[in-house]
Amino acid sequence: MSKVRVVVAGPRGRMGNEAVNLVKNTENYELVAVLDHRHGGKLLNDIEGFHGFSSVPVFSNIEDCFQNVQADVLIDLTIPEVGMHHTRTALQYGVRPVVGTTGFTNDDLQELENTCNEKELGCIIAPNFALGAVLMMKFSQMAGKYFRDVEIIELHHDQKLDAPSGTAVKTAEMISEVRESKVQGHPAEKETMAGARGANFDGMHIHSVRLPGLIAHQQVMFGSEGQMLTIRHDSFNRASFMSGVKLAVDTVMKIDTFVYGLENIME
């Protein structure tokens, strides 16, 4: 079986570093290049912290990369602005993106879906690659059909750029598909300090916590007469996301459509 030729964007980032190791340690994957804005023109082996990659070139420009390297899949775990450019460019070159960057707008997602349909290429964008987190979202959607009162608390490290997290937003979207809309809390409720009740999504409240020492955590709390249901997931390190990245890479090679959310490829 031929190997899946992979390009990783942002190899020096914590998630990107894990992705590089995933590709290195997966028998049928081959790391053919990385994208790094600081070290273009070098070999990955020349960057501190990377050993055993003497044949892997580093590119600072994604178009240069795809013009010089034959690739099947781009793994992008960077930031929204860069991730959107990388994803758009990869599709133009016939490379299938697997993207863990959150913060894309609805217009961004629609544009990418249209491009995938036009080119008949697979693309998977996932707010969260931890399989447990995806199951947490699916279980929350199941509960949302029976519990109309729900609040989402997401907790992340203090270097995370977006709030609320993509996982929290995706969870709220999934719940709203099955939950009858309801404005929660007292009808005369008033914040004595702006933002105290968090963000409002279809009457649900989303609260974001940012503290050093955290990685990625979320709990969804459902309340009803005389009972409460809490569904929680915790990622204690970034290796927890790699099983989902691998599932996405394996799947994106078999599809010719756009997929948003790992739950859509989990049977």
Side-chain angles (χ1 to χ4, degrees), residues 144-155:
K145 184 176 180 180
Y146 303 98
F147 291 83
R148 293 179 64 197
D149 292 272
V150 52
E151 304 223 355
I152 299 170
I153 305 171
E154 55 95 348
L155 310 92

Side-chain angles (χ1 to χ4, degrees), residues 78-107:
T78 57
I79 60 176
E81 297 80 7
V82 175
M84 182 62 186
H85 173 62
H86 285 174
T87 305
R88 184 187 289 125
T89 306
L91 290 171
Q92 293 301 324
Y93 280 86
V95 177
R96 298 165 184 264
V98 168
V99 185
T101 304
T102 60
F104 287 165
T105 66
N106 289 334
D107 287 343

Side-chain angles (χ1 to χ4, degrees), residues 12-13 17 20 28-29 48 52-53 61 74 86 89 105-106 113 116-117 120 136 165 173 189 211 218 230-231 248 251:
R12 289 181 296 109
N17 187 277
V20 167
N28 65 315
Y29 292 0
E48 183 178 356
F53 297 98
N61 181 285
L74 167 71
H86 285 174
T89 306
T105 66
N106 289 334
E113 182 173 5
C116 288
N117 291 337
E120 297 184 341
M136 175 265 297
S165 69
E173 290 173 347
E189 179 180 80
L211 287 171
Q218 179 171 296
T230 300
I231 302 172
T251 303

Side-chain angles (χ1 to χ4, degrees), residues 170-246:
K170 181 66 174 176
T171 303
E173 290 173 347
M174 292 173 64
I175 293 172
S176 69
E177 291 175 4
V178 299
R179 168 184 173 268
E180 184 180 346
S181 293
K182 177 183 179 181
V183 178
Q184 297 174 190
H186 194 283
E189 179 180 80
K190 179 181 179 181
E191 291 182 332
T192 57
M193 185 177 293
R197 291 290 286 123
N200 188 311
F201 187 101
D202 194 28
M204 295 177 278
H205 291 274
I206 304 176
H207 309 269
S208 297
V209 177
R210 298 291 178 267
L211 287 171
L214 296 172
I215 298 295
H217 317 262
Q218 179 171 296
Q219 67 181 42
V220 187
M221 302 175 66
F222 299 88
S224 183
E225 182 89 22
Q227 63 178 319
M228 176 173 288
L229 171 66
T230 300
I231 302 172
R232 181 178 175 111
H233 176 264
D234 299 275
S235 283
F236 299 110
N237 59 51
R238 289 166 178 83
S240 65
F241 302 108
M242 292 304 111
S243 57
V245 173
K246 185 178 185 304

